[in-house]
Amino acid sequence: MVYLTRVEHFNAAHKLYNPNWTKEKNESIFRGCANENWHGHNYELHVTIKGSPSPDTGYAIDARILSKIINEFVINKIDHKNLNIDVDFMQGKMTSAENLAIAIWDQLATRLPDGVQLHCVKLFETPRIFVEYFGN
Ligand code: NI
């Protein structure tokens, strides 16, 4: 098995706010991410697949094809969008990096070509905070 990672970038707005809590508690737990009128992040998404190199191409997957799949099912739905409002696969979820990474996994896992498996979705919310999801 060989692992290949494609990096994509998107910007999105969100707010972390639990409606069951008071404003004070939300601000205490989520700090800037609870800002009532939204805020944005410059996200970086690393999608790692695993597979065996094809005897014909030497590729586990053509990185352009992987990029196309990521763009069609993830980036085009979330780039320059409000994650709380605009994104079908985030409806009803807290828009944390953790939940977003899991939702991105679910968007991609069944859409890869035969012989290629999703290995990791790594999502940077800031240059110093990232989450990784391996499917369970
Ligand atoms: Ni935030």
Side-chain angles (χ1 to χ4, degrees), residues 33-99:
C33 278
N35 181 50
E36 193 172 348
N37 291 325
W38 319 104
H39 65 282
H41 292 284
N42 296 313
Y43 291 91
E44 194 167 83
L45 174 63
H46 296 221
V47 175
T48 303
I49 61 89
K50 61 183 173 183
S52 297
S54 152
D56 296 327
T57 61
Y59 289 168
I61 187 172
D62 184 328
R64 284 175 304 174
I65 290 173
L66 180 56
S67 178
K68 201 169 164 228
I69 294 167
I70 299 167
N71 274 276
E72 180 176 352
F73 296 106
V74 176
I75 303 296
N76 292 350
K77 294 183 170 202
I78 59 181
D79 187 31
H80 287 72
K81 298 284 170 50
N82 183 318
L83 299 175
N84 295 66
I85 296 172
D86 300 325
V87 179
D88 56 0
F89 62 77
M90 291 305 291
Q91 290 299 307
K93 297 173 185 167
M94 297 292 283
T95 56
S96 61
E98 291 88 331
N99 281 345

Side-chain angles (χ1 to χ4, degrees), residues 103-127:
I104 289 170
W105 174 285
D106 291 340
Q107 285 297 107
L108 295 174
T110 58
R111 292 181 162 123
L112 298 174
D114 288 347
V116 174
Q117 287 176 281
L118 193 52
H119 173 66
C120 179
V121 169
K122 182 175 187 176
L123 180 66
F124 286 77
E125 189 176 74
T126 77

